[in-house]
Amino acid sequence: MAANFTSLLVGYVVGGVASSVSLAIDGDRVVVIDPGMVAQRGLLSGAVAAAGFSTSEVTDVVVTHLHLDHTMNVGLFDRAIVHDFMASYHDDIWENHPIDRFELSPSIYALATPGHTREDISIFVETEEGLVVCSHLWWSKKGPLQDPYSFDHTVLEASRARVLALDPYLIVPGHGEPFLTGELDLA
Ligand SMILES: [Zn+2]
Ligand SMILES: [Zn+2]
C-alpha cells in the first residue's frame, strides 16, 4: 500500500523564514516532516487539523536536518517519536538507527544526503502518483543553485544525484512550493 502525501505549509526565506512542512500517512503512521519556523504556531496545528488529525495523533516527526528553522516545533506533537539523521527519540528513550538509510514505515524512508549540512537526510514517500522527496538539497524551485550555507558543494551535488537517481516525481524543497522534478533547472 502506498502512502498519502500532503504539503501542509509552503516555506519561504523572503520577508521572514519559514520551513516547508509536510504530512505523510502510511497505515497507522502519521508523519510530520520539518515542523520548523512558521509565522504562527497555530498555522501548523491548523494545517494538521485540516488534514484530519490532532497534534496528539501525529505518531512521528522527522527533520531533514538540525537547523532550528526546520525543528522549532517538534514539541508541538506531544506523543510523536522524533527522528533525525542518527536516532529516534521518544520521551526519555534515545535509539540510534542506521545512518545511511532508515525506514519510518513500509512506504516512508530516509537517506543520508549531506550537503547543506553534514547531518542532512532526504525523506522519501512512496505514493500512488510516484515517489515524493522532501529535501533541503533544494531551497526552492528557483534556487539558489549553489547553497550559500553548504560546507562542500561537491558533496551536495553528489547527494542531489543520489536523490534524482531514484526518480522522484515531486520535490518538496526546504523553503518553497513542491515542484515537479522535470521543472528543475539543472542548467
Ligand atoms: Zn538549514
Ligand atoms: Zn532551511
Side-chain angles (χ1 to χ4, degrees):
M1 276 298 289
N4 285 315
F5 178 85
T6 306
S7 169
L8 291 179
L9 297 172
V10 172
Y12 48 85
V13 289
V14 175
V17 176
S19 174
S20 301
V21 189
S22 304
L23 179 73
I25 299 148
D26 187 16
D28 60 358
R29 311 310 292 180
V30 180
V31 183
V32 170
I33 301 163
D34 270 5
M37 290 169 69
V38 293
Q40 301 164 21
R41 181 173 272 184
L43 287 176
L44 183 49
S45 45
V48 171
F53 298 96
S54 71
T55 52
S56 295
E57 288 174 322
V58 171
T59 61
D60 300 81
V61 169
V62 58
V63 296
T64 55
H65 64 294
L66 299 177
H67 286 159
L68 270 162
D69 58 325
H70 298 270
T71 61
M72 188 98 132
N73 280 302
V74 294
L76 182 61
F77 306 98
D78 58 308
R79 298 177 69 176
I81 305 168
V82 179
H83 312 268
D84 69 2
F85 74 103
M86 67 175 290
S88 302
Y89 314 82
H90 193 219
D91 297 330
D92 61 354
I93 305 299
W94 172 321
E95 278 192 279
N96 289 331
H97 60 61
I99 297 285
D100 189 61
R101 174 192 167 112
F102 69 97
E103 293 189 7
L104 285 102
S105 72
S107 298
I108 305 172
Y109 60 94
L111 295 183
T113 54
H116 173 63
T117 70
R118 287 179 170 78
E119 295 81 22
D120 268 48
I121 55 176
S122 296
I123 294 111
F124 294 83
V125 182
E126 292 168 344
T127 74
E128 283 188 354
E129 294 75 31
L131 188 62
V132 178
V133 61
C134 301
S135 178
H136 208 289
L137 294 169
W138 295 273
W139 287 26
S140 76
K141 183 172 70 174
K142 297 193 172 82
L145 194 55
Q146 290 235 324
D147 183 335
Y149 289 90
S150 176
F151 66 94
D152 186 329
H153 286 110
T154 306
V155 172
L156 186 144
E157 288 301 336
S159 289
R160 284 177 172 170
R162 184 182 194 194
V163 168
L164 295 176
L166 294 170
D167 202 21
Y169 89 98
L170 188 71
I171 296 174
V172 183
H175 299 276
E177 281 186 67
F179 60 89
L180 298 173
T181 306
E183 297 178 79
L184 196 58
D185 183 4
L186 295 168

